[in-house]
Structure formats: structure tokens, C-alpha cells
Amino acid sequence: MKITAVHAHCLASALETPFAFSQGWVKSRGACLVEVQTDDGLTGWGEALCQGLQPPQIAAATIESALKPLLIGADPLQIEPLWQRMYMHTRDYGMKGATIAALSGVDIALWDIAGKRLGQPVWQLLGGAFRERVQVYATGFYRVSGQGEAARLAEEAAQRAEEGFRLLKIKLGFGLEDDLAVMRAVARAIESRGLRLMIDTNHAYGVADAVRLGRALAPLELRWYEEPVAAEDLAGYGELRAKLDVPIAGGENEFTVFGFRQLLAARAVDIAQPDVCAAGGFTACRHIAALSLAHGVQVNPHVWGSSVGQAASLHLICALPLANPSLFADEPIFEYDCSSHPFRETLVERPLRQRAGWLERPDGPGLGIEVNRETVQRLEAHARP
Ligand code: CA
């Protein structure tokens, strides 16, 4: 079997209501999908993650100009050799960011092809599944006007509880006073419902303010505190771990086993959060999972992609071991983005839907998805300048 074509599809769709996280306003949803075709007639799909403010064209240019020439004519089942080839070829100008997201999209498509060829779901090819279903947590709680939205966010929390979510992650980083007002209102809204909360500031603060926020929220016994400081500030992460009892999570802006080696060696996090569509695909996440296991650190992936990225993430989570297993250990959970995403519903047949707070293990070959080409074509037109 040989690779005959590689396409990067840039998709975009404007949001009716732009929303903010601590780093800026998200005005449209973008995705860079990767399609790999073979002479056997098989097609694999992958996705290069577009973080909130990231245009899909950066990864697409990498795929078309740097990766495609390495792939045409190659055997798509040579997944690890191809990963090494792509990484080493781009190393001098890549290593992180959109270059590795591009590589991730190709890698995911190759695993999809392998699964389709062998008639097995990707989690099976990764070595098997540790779980038959995965609990979801609600990500959302973005701002639509800025500060002063505690009451609206509390309503959103109550609504998520009604929908079956038992775990909520609240976006903070809008100023300490505003953050604390939001958390007081959210905690009140879900009081006595037995839900657990997490927070994510998207590295809005330096160490001192990040510590003040963590200390003020200690009574909530958060499941984790995500991206408290900038991804580059490993010493800052270490300080937070020393000063706070809450588990510290991070890694959505870290890449490959080389990047995670530094994060883990610095003992910067309790929970490592690679995104399969950004950190280097399934191949890199396998490396990262093994290294994290050796450091006693749980991997709990970041998930923010389109339906393709969501499917890949679910396969990965099914196949992740527990770093510290016990009878009643916390299992890795799926980041279920509840914010506006105009094309998730139509991009694949049977998009993911949580039921009573859970997702079932997928059972189709490869990623187990069927991409809707009409949606791809319609959204590609929106992405053209
Ligand atoms: Ca995050």
C-alpha cells in the first residue's frame, strides 16, 4: 500500500456570538483537517489543532509544503518511521507549535488508515482499552461581554448539571476579583449536587497572583488547576505545586516527548495534558504517556478540536493507563467543549454526544468516523481570504 495524495483542508465558520478566554476574543471557529489517500482506495482523516486564536492556514502550509513530499509514495503503515522522518525533517524550524500540529494531523490520518486496513479501532492498535466508557467534563464558561458575568456563568453551571455533567471546568483569568466572584456564584449554583469543579486560567497570571487565586479557592477542593502560569515558566509551575495542595495541570501548549520530558523532569505538573491534534498525534502521545507513567504523572488529554479531533481524543483516552492505579482512582476524563462550534454537528455522521455525562468507547475501524465532504467543501470556501 502506498500514499497517493495528502490534502490539508482549512475550514472556517464565523461565530454568531464571539466569546473570550483570558487570551482574547474567539470570533470564528477554524480547523485544519488532513486527508491522506492510498492506492488501496483507503482514506485516513486527521486534524491539526487550531488553538483559539490560531489560523488553520499555518499548519496547512506545513503539510502541503514540508510534509507531503515526505509522504507521497510511502507505505502508510510505517507510522513510527514516518513520524520520525517528519519530525527530523522539520526539526530545525519546527519542534513545537503549528509545525507539530501539522505532523499530528498526518499521524492521526495514518492511524485511521491502519485501523481501516486492519478492521480495528485505533484504541485496539494502541494496545487495547483500559475502559469501555469515558466520563466527560463540561468546558465552556467563556465570557460574552468580559467581566461581571458571574450570574450568567452560574446559570450555565446549573444547566450543565441538568444535562448530566458531574464535572465542570470554569474559565478564569479575567482579574482575581472577577474570578472569585464567578467561582462563588458557580459554587452556590451547584451546591449540594455533588459536582466537582476545575479551573483554567489559560496562563493569565504570574506566580504571585496564581498562588493567591489557588489559595482563595482551596475550600472548593478543585479536581485540578489548569495552566496557572505561562507554559515556558516551568519553575513557576514548580512553585505553584510547592505552595498549593490542588493538583496542577498543564501541557496543551507543549509538544512531543522532547517537550514533555522537560515538563516532567521539572516536576511541573500533576496532570499532563497533551492534545493528540497538537502534541504530535497518537505516536507522540504514546511516547508522552510512557514517559509520564515513568514519572508517576497522569495523562489527561486536552480536547478542543472538531469532530475529527474529538474522535481521535476518545480513542487515545480509552487506551491510556493510570499512572497511579487503585480500586477507586480518578480515571482520565474527556474535555467536552460546550462552547459554540458551528460545524461540529455536521462534519461527521454521528457526531459525539455525551449521555448522562459519559461517552461510550467507539467500535468502528480506524477513528470510526465518516467525514461529510459537503460540509468540508462548504467550510473550505469560508476559509478562503
Ligand atoms: Ca485549557
Side-chain angles (χ1 to χ4, degrees):
M1 186 162 55
K2 281 191 169 58
I3 295 172
T4 51
V6 177
H7 300 293
H9 300 276
C10 292
L11 313 186
S13 183
L15 292 174
E16 257 176 44
T17 311
F19 60 81
F21 67 126
S22 75
Q23 299 307 305
W25 288 92
V26 179
K27 293 176 182 149
S28 82
R29 284 285 200 161
C32 176
L33 297 192
V34 185
E35 181 183 9
V36 177
Q37 292 171 341
T38 71
D39 60 355
D40 270 17
L42 291 175
T43 297
W45 289 93
E47 177 169 357
L49 180 72
C50 292
Q51 291 280 14
L53 307 175
Q54 181 179 336
Q57 288 83 0
I58 311 173
T62 305
I63 291 160
E64 295 285 350
S65 57
L67 304 182
K68 189 174 174 174
L70 307 174
L71 297 163
I72 299 294
D75 176 354
L77 300 183
Q78 289 286 96
I79 297 175
E80 178 87 34
L82 284 173
W83 191 97
Q84 296 293 335
R85 192 191 215 174
M86 291 188 285
Y87 183 82
M88 296 309 165
H89 190 84
T90 57
R91 175 181 250 169
D92 289 356
Y93 56 88
M95 295 194 284
K96 288 177 190 280
T99 307
I100 301 302
L103 196 162
S104 307
V106 172
D107 182 81
I108 292 166
L110 297 181
W111 282 89
D112 189 28
I113 288 171
K116 285 169 173 165
R117 170 68 178 246
L118 301 167
Q120 302 280 344
V122 170
W123 57 258
Q124 184 71 69
L125 303 184
L126 292 170
F130 287 87
R131 46 200 68 85
E132 291 180 356
R133 57 183 197 149
V134 176
Q135 195 171 16
V136 297
Y137 71 88
T139 282
F141 307 98
Y142 294 93
R143 305 299 191 269
V144 292
S145 59
Q147 293 179 318
E149 297 189 57
R152 189 186 63 76
L153 295 165
E155 268 173 42
E156 185 177 337
Q159 184 195 333
R160 298 298 166 224
E162 287 301 315
E163 291 165 1
F165 289 98
R166 312 304 297 157
L167 300 147
L168 313 177
K169 190 170 81 186
I170 314 297
K171 285 284 178 182
L172 299 180
F174 293 81
L176 287 184
E177 206 179 311
D178 194 75
D179 287 355
L180 295 176
V182 166
M183 293 309 287
R184 274 194 298 271
V186 166
R188 249 198 323 272
I190 58 166
E191 216 171 19
S192 76
R193 291 186 195 235
L195 272 67
R196 273 194 97 179
L197 296 173
M198 293 156 275
I199 59 166
D200 181 2
T201 62
N202 293 97
H203 51 79
Y205 302 124
V207 171
D209 280 344
V211 169
R212 283 165 71 192
L213 180 63
R215 285 193 174 143
L217 297 179
L220 295 181
E221 295 187 13
L222 302 170
R223 175 148 166 175
W224 72 58
Y225 180 177
E226 180 169 323
E227 282 207 300
V229 292
E232 305 93 320
D233 187 8
L234 296 181
Y237 266 92
E239 268 187 73
L240 281 158
R241 281 195 72 220
K243 288 180 174 157
L244 301 176
D245 290 335
V246 60
I248 300 294
E252 70 183 75
N253 291 307
E254 195 47 87
F255 304 86
T256 78
V257 74
F258 303 112
F260 275 86
R261 180 178 66 89
Q262 291 174 315
L263 196 74
L264 294 164
R267 304 203 68 75
V269 293
D270 296 282
I271 296 152
Q273 300 177 298
D275 190 307
V276 68
C277 301
F282 288 113
T283 301
C285 285
R286 281 217 296 192
H287 304 156
I288 293 163
L291 196 66
S292 298
L293 187 68
H295 283 81
V297 169
Q298 184 59 47
V299 171
N300 198 127
H302 171 261
V303 186
W304 215 65
S306 75
S307 317
V308 177
Q310 286 183 318
S313 302
L314 186 54
H315 282 270
L316 174 64
I317 294 174
C318 286
L320 281 176
L322 286 179
N324 302 289
S326 70
L327 283 178
F328 305 105
D330 280 342
E331 298 279 333
I333 48 183
F334 185 99
E335 179 168 19
Y336 196 93
D337 177 20
C338 299
S339 60
S340 177
H341 198 307
F343 54 85
R344 262 199 206 122
E345 288 295 300
T346 55
L347 188 56
V348 298
E349 311 294 326
R350 297 182 310 281
L352 279 188
R353 277 218 184 80
Q354 66 91 10
R355 291 198 204 291
W358 294 82
L359 291 169
E360 299 300 317
R361 190 172 70 193
D363 56 6
L367 294 177
I369 54 169
E370 233 173 285
V371 173
N372 183 339
R373 282 190 182 277
E374 270 177 35
T375 302
V376 171
Q377 279 163 10
R378 179 169 55 81
L379 297 166
E380 270 186 306
H382 293 188
R384 286 190 198 108

